[in-house]
Amino acid sequence: MDKMSFSHHISQQYNEELWGILDNVMRMGGLVEQQLGDALVALVEGDNERGELVVTSDYKVNAFEVRLDEECTHVLARRQPAASDLRLIIAVVKTITDLERIGDEAERIARMALHLLEADRRRSPMEEVAALGELVKKMLHGALDAFARMDTEQAVKVAQEDIKADSQYEAIVRNLIQHMEDNPKSVSPIMDILWSVRSLERIGDRSRNICEYVIYFVLGKDVRHTSFEQMAAEATGDRR
Amino acid sequence: MDKMSFSHHISQQYNEELWGILDNVMRMGGLVEQQLGDALVALVEGDNERGELVVTSDYKVNAFEVRLDEECTHVLARRQPAASDLRLIIAVVKTITDLERIGDEAERIARMALHLLEADRRRSPMEEVAALGELVKKMLHGALDAFARMDTEQAVKVAQEDIKADSQYEAIVRNLIQHMEDNPKSVSPIMDILWSVRSLERIGDRSRNICEYVIYFVLGKDVRHTSFEQMAAEATGDRR
């Protein structure tokens, strides 16, 4: 985002409050990215130390959410923001909810990873799981980047990646179900992988949500519950 | 909630706006309860007509969310609410997000229900699934009731039901995994039931979230990410 677009208040302190909030959102986002990255290493490579780290760090994500909610409430009460400032605060309140839930999903993945044995990993389609993990990690990063620069074009691009994530997810689930049918003794570990893959799919959805808030902030348009085509048309101003 | 507590503004129109928002939250909540009830009938009894109805009605839940978000933004921009009015608007913005997601989970359950055959139902622990369904339906109803009356005692009670929901959920999952190990040919339909049960568990979590917003609104305390004991202590003012 152009820093100037928020430096227009007479009150220097108000400007600083808004910038402080944005800064904290980006710090929270960075932490959540870290959590997701560590959870993926734990899942795919069996690095239990990283898995434990994710589980014991989730409280930090939660603390960011509570603190940012307080900061937003403070600005709403004291500054009575209007127009784009108000939309910014609303976009932040919604974004941090999704970030916190992405943190929860990363924690779930880490817990599942801690259950898995090396033999389970070798028998599972871990390459496909790793590819989906990389895709949603990229989506989360792209969504945070779109948020930082309030870039609607980037937001639309990232949101559209969710189609790919959904289809990769569905292919893995079909594969895992087949695997359970063929190897009934490994149902339990495969279920752990299935839950993890489900979490990855949800992280893709939530990254898409963040992109929708960016479009809402910049254009004042609510593009939730619309098709990708409608979203792209709204974002580019091309409403045929 | 005591209606008088919101009838203190000089502007009659402002009072009406706040009451209109609360009224719409309760209407949205009623619709989501209906969706969950219908999804459960579809899942447990195999009533496909109800299942279809849930799938085709989800857009109504989404429309409520978008409209209520607009109404809240309007009040924030025009009325610049402070203190309890501001907390009310924030509690509403968060509650409707959870209600919309509960609607999504109900739709997921309905879609899974449409996949199942009568034979799949007979072979599954449908009584346990139905019991969990009834419990989370009761939780959702109780959370909405706590919201309508802004009753913190009720909110704590409902939130604590989530412990029971989680333990019922875990018992069903263990049972279903055992069933898949014993009957590898029925992995696919059992997975549909597993996803549905997972959705029920998430609905319990989201009903608990709504209870936390009630406590936030009434007491100005953020009890997310705290234990049930802390939540109860905050709600009753008993902070030993």
Side-chain angles (χ1 to χ4, degrees):
Chain A
M1 191 180 343
D2 175 8
K3 189 156 182 165
M4 293 311 288
S5 62
F6 281 107
S7 304
H8 59 270
H9 301 106
I10 294 167
S11 160
Q12 182 60 24
Q13 207 191 327
Y14 184 13
N15 293 331
E16 278 166 16
E17 281 168 15
L18 289 178
W19 279 105
I21 285 174
L22 284 175
D23 192 48
N24 274 335
V25 172
M26 295 323 292
R27 284 172 58 206
M28 181 180 182
L31 176 60
V32 171
E33 276 191 82
Q34 180 72 49
Q35 290 281 90
L36 174 58
D38 285 344
L40 285 171
V41 172
L43 179 67
V44 175
E45 297 171 22
D47 184 333
N48 284 351
E49 226 168 283
R50 296 265 205 129
E52 295 283 0
L53 189 64
V54 173
V55 173
T56 55
S57 301
D58 184 55
Y59 80 95
K60 294 185 201 166
V61 178
N62 298 343
F64 258 120
E65 185 197 19
V66 170
R67 179 177 160 185
L68 270 160
D69 254 335
E70 275 172 11
E71 289 176 357
C72 288
T73 309
H74 177 86
V75 166
L76 286 171
R78 293 276 300 276
R79 303 295 180 182
Q80 303 169 339
S84 74
D85 291 343
L86 177 57
R87 289 206 306 278
L88 179 74
I89 296 294
I90 291 171
V92 167
V93 167
K94 288 179 181 284
T95 295
I96 59 177
T97 303
D98 280 290
L99 284 177
E100 191 271 332
R101 303 279 161 87
I102 292 174
D104 283 347
E105 300 290 355
E107 192 196 343
R108 276 191 197 107
I109 294 168
R111 284 186 190 278
M112 293 298 150
L114 291 169
H115 279 178
L116 286 177
L117 303 174
E118 219 23 64
D120 302 328
R121 281 191 181 80
R122 273 200 305 277
R123 276 195 297 258
S124 307
M126 284 318 263
E127 270 183 45
E128 285 81 352
V129 174
L132 175 61
E134 284 310 309
L135 175 60
V136 302
K137 214 172 80 176
K138 218 181 87 196
M139 283 180 72
L140 173 59
H141 185 79
L144 288 168
D145 195 43
F147 191 95
R149 297 185 288 114
M150 288 299 165
D151 179 339
T152 55
E153 233 174 89
Q154 156 102 348
V156 170
K157 259 189 215 151
V158 173
Q160 282 177 332
E161 292 285 281
D162 201 30
I163 301 172
K164 211 192 286 173
D166 285 348
S167 93
Q168 288 188 11
Y169 162 74
E170 277 155 28
I172 296 171
V173 169
R174 276 196 302 274
N175 184 330
L176 289 173
I177 287 178
Q178 183 65 51
H179 198 63
M180 286 196 276
E181 286 170 354
D182 298 342
N183 309 280
K185 278 189 188 156
S186 53
V187 162
S188 200
I190 293 178
M191 281 306 302
D192 285 339
I193 296 176
L194 253 178
W195 293 135
S196 303
V197 172
R198 173 74 153 201
S199 285
L200 290 175
E201 186 261 342
R202 302 313 312 272
I203 291 173
D205 288 348
R206 292 186 175 283
S207 301
R208 183 194 161 165
N209 292 346
I210 294 173
C211 294
E212 292 171 349
Y213 309 142
V214 171
I215 296 173
Y216 165 77
F217 166 70
V218 177
L219 304 171
K221 303 269 181 199
D222 193 336
V223 293
R224 292 174 303 184
H225 317 303
T226 62
S227 69
F228 285 110
E229 290 73 22
Q230 281 172 288
M231 184 197 286
E234 290 287 359
T236 57
D238 177 16
R239 252 153 277 141
R240 276 169 298 201
Chain B
M1 191 182 342
D2 175 8
K3 190 157 181 162
M4 293 313 289
S5 62
F6 282 107
S7 305
H8 59 271
H9 302 104
I10 294 166
S11 160
Q12 181 61 24
Q13 208 191 327
Y14 184 13
N15 293 330
E16 278 166 17
E17 280 168 16
L18 289 178
W19 279 104
I21 286 174
L22 285 175
D23 191 47
N24 274 335
V25 173
M26 295 322 293
R27 283 172 59 206
M28 180 179 182
L31 175 60
V32 171
E33 276 190 82
Q34 178 75 48
Q35 290 282 90
L36 174 57
D38 284 345
L40 285 171
V41 171
L43 179 68
V44 175
E45 297 171 22
D47 184 333
N48 283 351
E49 225 168 283
R50 296 264 205 127
E52 295 284 1
L53 188 65
V54 173
V55 173
T56 55
S57 301
D58 185 55
Y59 79 95
K60 293 185 202 167
V61 179
N62 298 343
F64 257 118
E65 186 197 17
V66 170
R67 179 177 159 186
L68 269 160
D69 255 335
E70 275 172 12
E71 289 177 355
C72 288
T73 309
H74 177 87
V75 165
L76 286 170
R78 292 275 301 276
R79 304 293 179 182
Q80 303 167 338
S84 75
D85 291 342
L86 177 57
R87 289 206 306 279
L88 178 73
I89 297 294
I90 291 171
V92 167
V93 167
K94 288 180 180 283
T95 295
I96 59 176
T97 304
D98 280 290
L99 284 178
E100 191 270 333
R101 303 280 162 86
I102 292 175
D104 283 348
E105 299 292 355
E107 191 194 343
R108 277 191 197 107
I109 294 168
R111 284 187 193 278
M112 294 298 148
L114 291 170
H115 279 178
L116 287 177
L117 302 174
E118 219 21 64
D120 301 327
R121 280 191 182 81
R122 272 200 305 277
R123 277 195 296 259
S124 308
M126 287 316 262
E127 267 182 47
E128 284 81 352
V129 174
L132 175 60
E134 284 309 308
L135 175 60
V136 301
K137 214 171 80 177
K138 217 181 88 194
M139 283 180 72
L140 173 60
H141 185 78
L144 289 168
D145 194 43
F147 191 95
R149 296 185 289 113
M150 287 300 163
D151 178 340
T152 55
E153 233 174 90
Q154 157 101 345
V156 171
K157 260 188 215 154
V158 172
Q160 283 177 331
E161 292 284 284
D162 201 29
I163 302 172
K164 209 192 286 174
D166 285 348
S167 92
Q168 288 188 11
Y169 162 74
E170 277 154 28
I172 296 171
V173 169
R174 277 196 301 275
N175 184 329
L176 289 173
I177 288 178
Q178 183 64 52
H179 198 62
M180 287 196 276
E181 286 171 352
D182 299 342
N183 309 279
K185 280 189 185 153
S186 53
V187 161
S188 200
I190 293 178
M191 281 305 302
D192 285 339
I193 296 176
L194 253 178
W195 294 134
S196 303
V197 171
R198 173 75 153 198
S199 286
L200 290 175
E201 187 262 342
R202 304 312 312 271
I203 292 173
D205 289 348
R206 293 186 175 283
S207 301
R208 181 193 163 165
N209 292 347
I210 294 173
C211 294
E212 292 171 349
Y213 309 142
V214 171
I215 295 172
Y216 165 75
F217 165 70
V218 177
L219 304 172
K221 303 269 181 198
D222 193 335
V223 292
R224 294 174 302 184
H225 317 303
T226 62
S227 68
F228 285 110
E229 290 73 21
Q230 281 171 288
M231 184 198 283
E234 290 288 0
T236 57
D238 176 16
R239 255 154 277 142
R240 278 167 297 196

